[in-house]
Amino acid sequence: MWWQRAWYSPGVHPLLWLLLPLHWLFVLVSCTRRLLYRWGWLPRHKVSAPVIVIGNITVGGSGKTPVTEALVGWLREHGWRPGIVARGYGGRGPFPQIVTDSSDPRRCGDEPLLLVRRCKVPVVVAPDRVDAARTLLAEFPKVNIILCDDGLQHYRLQRDIELVVVDGNRGLGNGWRMPLGPLREPEKRLQQADLVVQNGPSDKHQFGSVFTLQPLGWRRVMDDEPVAKLPVGRVVAVAGIGHPPRFFATLEQSGLRLDATREFPDHYPFSAADFDQLPGHDIVVMTEKDAAKCRSFARPDWYYLPVSAEFNEGFWQQFQLALAAHTK
């Protein structure tokens, strides 16, 4: 947690300068790897359906999963039959793995389980996205377009459209590459993408089309039932996502008073014991991604808040033009 707070603070924290040799090593390795793919010395693999990659150039959550869900919805409305591939971060496998509503998040990862439940389209996970894409098309032959969630730096899978998501609140942090800063790739990489979108408005910067995350209404974790209104009581909010403060701010902006908050690392494997250590409370609230990992041991007073990514019509026009240009 300290690490990411330091990355997204102005300047470089003095302690981070100790990592300068590792920074230059990371830059050398990542730039060399990309050049090897660009020059064809490392092979890229094309599959039989168009591929849209959704990713970011920073470490930490930026809103890729809601964006993927929004793209799936638009594609289905316009006659496409999309499928999703993902790494399955945090999952133990085996890989490649077809994700279903009843999949264990400890095996497939939390975000793929969320995507299959929300999008209702085929989802396959594997660290090797080429294997995932080939399995998806073999097992679901009706799929005619693939969305690769968090696959921007996985150059082995040839892509037709790149969409990069930037956090409007944190931007690109201190502007340094890892481990001095949060950047996986330099800022100029944004100019090479087909589309850039920003999660939330900002007075400091704007990277492409701005979208907002809209709450969809409370649900109970244990059985996914909608709840019109949370009961009265002391509320503790927990979040094991890339940027927990964004979730806590969303809750407070909706009028919910938080008596305490607890941050966990992204993709944290929650257990019932984690909640035994929370301060005194009547209600626990969490993200939809975290709820997927807590359902098997959830208590009746635990709730989650799903959100959706809302784009303006201008973005969808840009997306449609990019899609037409790359899928002729």
Side-chain angles (χ1 to χ4, degrees):
M1 295 297 183
W2 175 88
W3 205 271
Q4 289 204 21
R5 284 195 294 268
W7 281 347
Y8 288 101
S9 298
V12 177
H13 192 283
L15 290 178
L16 292 177
W17 287 117
L18 299 174
L19 303 175
L20 186 60
L22 293 178
H23 161 80
W24 289 119
L25 178 62
F26 176 83
V27 171
L28 175 64
V29 171
S30 61
C31 290
T32 300
R33 176 176 172 270
R34 185 152 192 242
L35 286 174
L36 291 176
Y37 276 109
R38 181 181 295 176
W39 293 339
W41 293 358
L42 288 177
R44 297 189 185 198
H45 297 268
K46 184 173 180 58
V47 295
S48 58
V51 174
I52 302 172
V53 166
I54 301 99
N56 56 13
I57 63 170
T58 57
V59 174
S62 57
K64 296 182 301 295
T65 300
V67 169
T68 300
E69 181 189 349
L71 295 178
V72 168
W74 188 94
L75 288 167
R76 293 181 71 178
E77 289 176 3
H78 289 77
W80 292 88
R81 297 184 298 277
I84 300 172
V85 299
R87 181 183 185 277
Y89 188 89
R92 301 195 302 260
F95 300 114
Q97 181 182 161
I98 299 172
V99 184
T100 68
D101 281 348
S102 58
S103 290
D104 185 343
R106 294 171 297 180
R107 295 190 177 277
C108 69
D110 47 17
E111 289 172 349
L113 183 58
L114 169 59
L115 285 169
V116 80
R117 287 175 173 171
R118 287 288 296 273
C119 298
K120 308 298 183 185
V121 298
V123 178
V124 175
V125 295
D128 185 338
R129 305 322 192 275
V130 176
D131 284 350
R134 288 172 174 167
T135 300
L136 176 70
L137 294 174
E139 296 294 328
F140 303 94
K142 291 185 178 181
V143 167
N144 60 4
I145 193 165
I146 297 174
L147 290 89
C148 182
D149 183 40
D150 196 15
L152 189 65
Q153 286 78 34
H154 194 87
Y155 290 110
R156 190 165 176 266
L157 176 62
Q158 186 168 323
R159 67 285 310 272
D160 298 278
I161 296 175
E162 290 183 336
L163 186 152
V164 181
V165 186
V166 179
D167 186 327
N169 182 30
R170 299 186 295 174
L172 304 181
N174 61 17
W176 283 78
R177 306 280 288 279
M178 295 176 60
L180 262 66
L183 290 179
R184 299 172 175 175
E185 298 186 87
E187 182 177 354
K188 65 180 181 181
R189 179 70 173 85
L190 297 177
Q191 301 170 10
Q192 300 162 359
D194 298 282
L195 297 163
V196 179
V197 297
Q198 177 176 301
N199 183 356
S202 171
D203 296 331
K204 300 177 182 178
H205 43 245
Q206 181 169 341
F207 300 96
S209 300
V210 175
F211 70 93
T212 57
L213 296 179
Q214 299 297 325
L216 297 178
W218 291 102
R219 288 180 175 270
R220 197 161 49 199
V221 175
M222 64 186 303
D223 55 13
D224 206 37
E225 283 298 308
V227 177
K229 186 178 180 180
L230 292 182
V232 176
R234 294 164 297 172
V235 179
V236 174
V238 302
I241 57 176
H243 186 36
R246 185 199 297 122
F247 174 63
F248 301 148
T250 297
L251 297 179
E252 291 174 334
Q253 290 165 7
S254 70
L256 183 64
R257 181 180 180 275
L258 302 181
D259 295 280
T261 61
R262 287 294 181 271
E263 297 184 15
F264 293 84
D266 196 12
H267 305 286
Y268 183 77
F270 284 101
S271 68
D274 294 313
F275 295 86
D276 294 334
Q277 302 171 13
L278 295 179
H281 63 277
D282 302 300
I283 301 164
V284 173
V285 295
M286 64 185 68
T287 69
E288 186 175 13
K289 187 173 81 168
D290 293 328
K293 293 174 287 188
C294 299
R295 190 158 295 151
S296 62
F297 54 84
R299 300 167 191 169
D301 55 358
W302 295 5
Y303 303 90
Y304 73 89
L305 185 65
V307 297
S308 66
E310 300 291 334
F311 289 92
N312 60 34
E313 187 58 33
F315 165 76
W316 291 119
Q317 292 173 0
Q318 293 176 5
F319 178 68
Q320 189 166 21
L321 289 173
L323 191 62
H326 292 283
T327 58
K328 292 180 180 179

